[in-house]
Amino acid sequence: QPLLHQLLPTLAKQFENVFPELIHQLDFVSKVVKEEEDAFLRTLGKGIENLNAIMLVLKDREGPNYKYPPIPISGNKAFELFDTFGFPLDLTQLIAKENNRDVDVEGFNIEMQQQKTRSKAAAVVDTEDWVNVHEHSITEFVGYDSLEIKSKIVKYRKVKAKGKEGYQIVLAATPFYAESGGQVGDTGEILFNDVRCTIYDTKKENNLIIHFTETLPTDVSSDVIAKVDRTKRKQTEIHHSATHLLHAALRKVLGNHVAQKGSLVNDEQLRFDFSHFAKVTDEEIAAIEKIVNQKIRENISVVIKEMNKDEAVKLGAMALFGEKYGDIVRVVIIDPKYSIELCGGTHVGSTGELGFFKIKHETAVAAGVRRIEALSGNAAETFINEQFDTINAVRESLKHPKEILKSISDLLNDRHELQKTKEQLERLQANASIDRLLLKKEIINSILFYQDIIPNVDMNVLKNIFSKLDIKYKEEKTVVLLISTKDGKVNILLGCSENYKEFDAPKIIKEHITPIIKGGGGGQKTLATAGGQDASNLQQ
């Protein structure tokens, strides 16, 4: 059970003069620590469940008369527990040791190295040296005021990533905003006389604003026209300003412990990560949306000032997560009593330009960190229209009922009743199939063999029939083969009793059965399944 969060009051008191934040936000920190503990215990529970299943398979492979050292847990399985389920290697080793098993740590390390190699290979960018065209010390960003200017190339270089070649360009002056503070880089074009080069991204590197393009003309020495995609920039600005309004509304509704933990702002939507210890309720979402939309309707001027950082902090400005600030900072003010933030991004002139604000999703991304995805401007309008189209389509499908929710509820109830009827019929069919199997019983080389082709049932029914036959611990060596066809597909179940050690169901399935039905399959030694597309050779 969670323990560490219970120690927080004592810890906060002892460190009161070292980390005053702990005692000031004791309730919030305790809730975050408890949530982290709960999450790890869930991981632990799932990991133990999967590890027990792995050891059960190994024990099954060994059998009751196995006299050799226990089969170790493979490096592949240990890595799968770590990579897929978040289960630490040392815990796998500890639990394996308690069950007198080893873990193939060397195999685990090989798997880990292979994954690292794959990740590195995916991220490799082959960059050639810069080619200088004109001497210029620093790139001037003029994109706050202008979206189209005359400029010239200072330098460029050729790059290759994931098999594709392209170019990176540095201009003497640029209107293109480089990705920063959560806002994506601008796109647009650079015109070289009659040659048009599309800019698909803009980033910063060592104080350089770098423009990404797939092509470059032969003559790069002439003056160029740099043009930002105005529509995309405008929609991005709308979402950036909406992010500031959202941040302030979150603090009003949820509390002052809310702080930005990351963001993504582009022309399609905004994504905002923030500190909070619980799921944001539907009522809280509605309250947040109401505040933001009220601020949009007030059409508040977005005032941007440059000032000394200390002066900005005294004014009450909040710093954005992940941003670096110099002595002189850019302050974005949307009503001094509502939102003041340090921000280097681009914004609308007034909140009315946002039109409308709508939250799409609210989810957890980490312990004590939530994420909101939201829309504003044209994107919000499109989203609302799509929702109405969906509702109208549902209404039309239901023949325009007066109460749409009641009609859907009635449909779900009908479906539930049909499902119950279907399950009853399947049970009856399973019982009838068992009777038929018993009548068709064969004895081949002293081995009991039950086989049948059952039409119009799925794999769940076959498994149900197999379990009801109850052959697992039969004294006689027993084999069961069940075949079904449904919706043009073939399902096959092959099983045997525990005492038939020579039998290998997965091997027979893979080597002899799946080629006939043109499919695939596998399973454990005493029970394997297969599925395929070819039902023409079931007697074979």
Side-chain angles (χ1 to χ4, degrees), residues 79 157 181 286 292 296 317 438:
F79 183 74
R157 66 185 176 188
V292 173
I296 290 172
L438 294 173

Side-chain angles (χ1 to χ4, degrees), residues 18 36 59 153 209 261 298 333 368 390 460 468 485 509:
V18 185
E36 184 69 31
K59 195 172 183 181
I153 288 187
I209 296 176
K261 296 298 179 185
E298 289 174 15
I333 304 167
T390 301
N460 289 329
K468 286 188 175 182
T485 55
I509 281 274

Side-chain angles (χ1 to χ4, degrees), residues 71-94:
I71 301 171
I73 294 168
S74 69
N76 181 39
K77 289 293 182 185
F79 183 74
E80 184 182 328
L81 285 168
F82 168 76
D83 192 45
T84 306
F85 303 103
F87 201 71
L89 175 64
D90 55 351
L91 279 176
T92 301
Q93 290 176 289
L94 182 65

Side-chain angles (χ1 to χ4, degrees), residues 475-527:
E475 287 184 17
E476 305 96 331
K477 291 180 179 179
T478 308
V479 173
V480 176
L481 173 66
L482 301 176
I483 302 171
S484 75
T485 55
K486 188 174 184 180
D487 301 328
K489 293 183 179 178
V490 183
N491 291 308
I492 291 179
L493 180 148
L494 179 65
C496 70
S497 53
E498 290 278 347
N499 59 3
Y500 196 171
K501 300 300 177 188
E502 306 92 319
F503 198 79
D504 190 335
K507 185 178 181 184
I508 294 171
I509 281 274
K510 288 175 183 174
E511 292 182 5
H512 300 285
I513 293 177
T514 54
I516 298 173
I517 63 171
K518 295 179 182 174
Q524 298 179 15
K525 193 170 181 181
T526 57
L527 178 60

